[in-house]
Amino acid sequence: MPDPILLLKAMALAAAIAALAVLLTGLPWRSPRWGIATASGVLGVALGFGISSRWLGIRATWPPKEATDRLLLVVLPVVIGVELVGAAAGKFRWIVWLLRAVVAAFAARILVDKSAYIADLSGPDSRLWDETQTTKILAGLGITLALVWAALLLQLRRPAGRAVPFAVAGTCVAAGATTMFSGYATGGGQLGLPLGASIVGAFLASLLLSGRRATGGVVSFGVVGLFSYLVIGRLFAELTTTNAALLFFAPLLCWLPELPLVRRLPVWLRSMLGILLTIVPVAIALFLAQQKFAADSVKSAPDSGELSPEDYMNFGK
Amino acid sequence: MRKRFAGCLIAVLVAFVGAAPVRAADEFTIDPVHSGVYFKILHLGLSNVFGRFNEFSGTFTIDPDDAGKCAFAMNIKTNSVDTNNGARDNHLRSPDFFNVKQFPAIDFRSTSVKAVNGGYEVTGNLTMHGETKPITFTLMGGKKAELKGVTRTGYSTELVLKRTDFGVGANIPPAALGEEVHIAIGIEGTKK
């Protein structure tokens, strides 16, 4: 595991930059227009995430060689662009939903580009997915992302929707730790944690501003980041399908307090309930990943006893 | 008369040259059972961690009379990395290091070969982790043996690469994991 103190500093930096960016763009107006608030939110979270990741030493190469390069240099910038278009679209806001659908359709395809899954890298017919499998898997992933993204944005509009950014942020942080247990230390700890922290920073800052909260862009950035991150962990590291699914669907539990029987509860209680419910699958995923890591370690080195992640991932300072 | 003599002489020379034993280059396939690709790398500046790649293949051509016609090619499956610890091997397969689903192979193709005392100096392109760099190393060996009617020959080499030249473990600081990777390769080939 990378230095925990360094990671905490990076998270604080991400949250502070995101919050500052939101406050700077929002303060002159005090009651910022919806478009400006949305733009400041998405730019804030992107800045916080980008600067803190760079501060942690994460470098993306251009042209992109790996899935993480494509996440940082293609997928997330496209999401920022889409949300900015949405912020500027005014009454033509349906355009942003169309663009989000396009992003959902192609995000996974971009991430697996030139990989052993879809390219014959080890000789003729060596690709891991044939044409039919590729179509089914990528379509399934695209539809899943679109549905979860839409469901979370719709929940965000409801009174208890303030739970959504916290749920997405917390899941990003947990996804970072889970991916780290799944054999991807730098991508795990060093991307998921700043992503979660920047979402929290941007959202909290948006609460300080008067006027209408507009955190759709923040949540969009987080959801696509989380999705991409889990796809990379599942396909390029050792993240299990169960853990990836538990983590990706966890924020959807924010919808449960909207069920008829509990809908009468106060908004703050429903928000809190949404966050607590999200924690359950996230904690299960973390536990399963830690157990698998420990089992793999003991299996390979029985005389060493139960090894900790630090044995392999903390490369010493 | 003189023309006829000259014609006969040329015919004899041509026949002589044609009949001279020209040794063709021999092609060999790497026998994975009797070959190995091993590496060691300094951990925390304390001691070396050792590992190997269990799956590889390759061919080489040896022309004893003309080193320029020799050629070496090898392909190593990155997924087969083995350091005798499952968790560490998974980590090595991840995007932190080899990223085996993106870069499933390490590939070497020679571009020039020079004869040296006891072997060959081989220069070629090494592609690893999506980066191609020229490298040069000395292959020692070349003795031949017959086993069950098959001609075998073998070579070995040791070389040092900088992992960061290829972007392997780019985010892992050198103080924690050595920059230099010491590689030992032994290849035994069976004649085609």
Side-chain angles (χ1 to χ4, degrees):
Chain A
M1 190 173 73
D3 185 356
I5 302 297
L6 194 69
L7 286 176
L8 284 174
K9 284 180 182 172
M11 289 174 73
L13 182 70
I17 292 170
L20 194 65
V22 170
L23 292 173
L24 280 177
T25 51
L27 277 177
W29 286 269
R30 291 306 299 166
S31 297
R33 286 190 291 126
W34 180 89
I36 290 168
T38 298
S40 71
V42 72
L43 288 175
V45 76
L47 268 177
F49 173 65
I51 292 173
S52 65
S53 299
R54 199 160 176 79
W55 184 72
L56 277 171
I58 301 292
R59 299 279 186 277
T61 54
W62 184 267
K65 283 199 320 179
E66 304 179 65
T68 308
D69 297 334
R70 288 188 282 276
L71 166 64
L72 296 174
L73 300 176
V74 181
V75 176
L76 290 179
V78 167
V79 174
I80 295 167
V82 165
E83 295 304 319
L84 290 179
V85 167
K91 61 182 177 181
F92 300 106
R93 213 171 291 160
W94 58 270
I95 290 173
V96 76
W97 284 100
L98 190 67
L99 293 174
R100 283 171 184 156
V102 173
V103 171
F106 289 102
R109 174 60 186 81
I110 292 167
L111 294 172
V112 299
D113 190 44
K114 293 177 186 169
S115 73
Y117 290 101
I118 59 168
D120 292 327
L121 299 178
S122 303
D125 298 326
S126 63
R127 59 189 285 178
L128 298 172
W129 298 340
D130 62 29
E131 294 279 358
T132 313
Q133 274 180 304
T134 304
T135 307
K136 283 180 182 173
I137 291 169
L138 294 181
L141 287 170
I143 291 166
T144 305
L145 172 59
L147 290 177
V148 171
W149 195 352
L152 291 174
L153 288 179
L154 290 175
Q155 169 65 2
L156 193 64
R157 294 177 178 179
R158 302 179 74 86
R162 67 179 59 183
V164 172
F166 288 112
V168 172
T171 309
C172 287
V173 171
T178 308
T179 311
M180 202 166 59
F181 279 125
S182 307
Y184 187 8
T186 55
Q190 297 184 17
L191 284 180
L193 276 62
L195 180 58
S198 59
I199 292 169
V200 170
F203 180 67
L204 288 178
S206 76
L207 291 179
L208 292 176
L209 297 175
S210 57
R212 191 176 165 190
R213 280 200 319 274
T215 44
V218 172
V219 169
S220 292
F221 191 87
V223 170
V224 178
L226 176 66
F227 169 83
S228 305
Y229 195 51
L230 295 173
V231 166
I232 293 171
R234 172 63 188 83
L235 297 180
F236 295 94
E238 296 289 316
L239 183 67
T240 62
T241 305
T242 305
N243 284 345
L246 280 169
L247 289 165
F248 190 57
F249 294 121
L252 287 181
L253 293 179
C254 288
W255 267 101
L256 280 186
E258 301 298 328
L259 290 175
L261 285 175
V262 280
R263 203 161 43 197
R264 291 184 204 145
L265 292 171
V267 171
W268 69 268
L269 192 56
R270 277 187 284 148
S271 300
M272 190 63 74
L273 201 58
I275 293 169
L276 289 174
L277 285 168
T278 303
I279 291 172
V280 176
V282 164
I284 293 171
L286 260 172
F287 175 77
L288 291 175
Q290 197 279 333
Q291 291 295 301
K292 183 177 182 300
F293 181 87
D296 286 348
S297 303
V298 172
K299 212 185 310 174
S300 305
D303 296 335
S304 307
E306 191 166 310
L307 301 173
S308 70
E310 284 77 8
D311 288 326
Y312 306 106
M313 293 175 180
N314 186 1
F315 290 93
K317 295 283 182 263
Chain B
M1 181 68 182
R2 191 177 285 176
K3 275 187 180 174
R4 187 177 292 174
F5 175 74
C8 287
L9 186 63
I10 290 168
V12 168
L13 280 174
V14 167
F16 180 78
V17 170
V22 174
R23 286 205 286 173
D26 293 327
E27 288 185 24
F28 293 86
T29 302
I30 290 175
D31 169 15
V33 178
H34 298 98
S35 304
V37 180
Y38 298 85
F39 62 86
K40 65 176 180 180
I41 189 164
L42 199 60
H43 181 237
L44 298 178
L46 301 175
S47 69
N48 286 304
V49 170
F50 292 80
R52 66 185 188 191
F53 290 95
N54 292 327
E55 290 178 36
F56 51 85
S57 59
T59 56
F60 55 94
T61 304
I62 301 295
D63 189 329
D65 300 320
D66 185 357
K69 289 181 182 167
C70 293
F72 295 85
M74 193 169 194
N75 188 280
I76 300 165
K77 304 286 182 204
T78 49
N79 194 42
S80 70
V81 66
D82 179 358
T83 63
N84 194 33
N85 185 280
R88 184 169 56 208
D89 293 344
N90 285 341
H91 192 199
L92 288 171
R93 291 182 188 109
S94 82
D96 277 342
F97 291 97
F98 289 111
N99 197 358
V100 302
K101 293 287 167 48
Q102 193 78 60
F103 310 112
I106 298 169
D107 194 71
F108 175 77
R109 309 266 150 192
S110 66
T111 52
S112 74
V113 179
K114 281 192 279 187
V116 295
N117 190 20
Y120 295 106
E121 185 184 274
V122 181
T123 300
N125 291 322
L126 180 72
T127 302
M128 178 162 63
H129 203 255
E131 294 284 341
T132 300
K133 306 267 181 198
I135 61 166
T136 299
F137 54 89
T138 305
L139 273 177
M140 302 303 287
K143 286 182 182 173
K144 288 185 179 175
E146 288 271 325
L147 186 65
K148 293 181 180 174
V150 178
T151 304
R152 292 172 170 266
T153 188
Y155 294 89
S156 57
T157 187
E158 290 182 12
L159 64 151
V160 178
L161 298 176
K162 278 180 78 176
R163 63 180 173 85
T164 47
D165 284 348
F166 296 88
V168 177
N171 293 317
I172 311 296
L177 198 66
E179 278 265 349
E180 292 184 340
V181 186
H182 294 254
I183 298 163
I185 298 175
I187 51 170
E188 191 170 303
T190 53
K191 191 174 171 183
K192 286 182 181 175

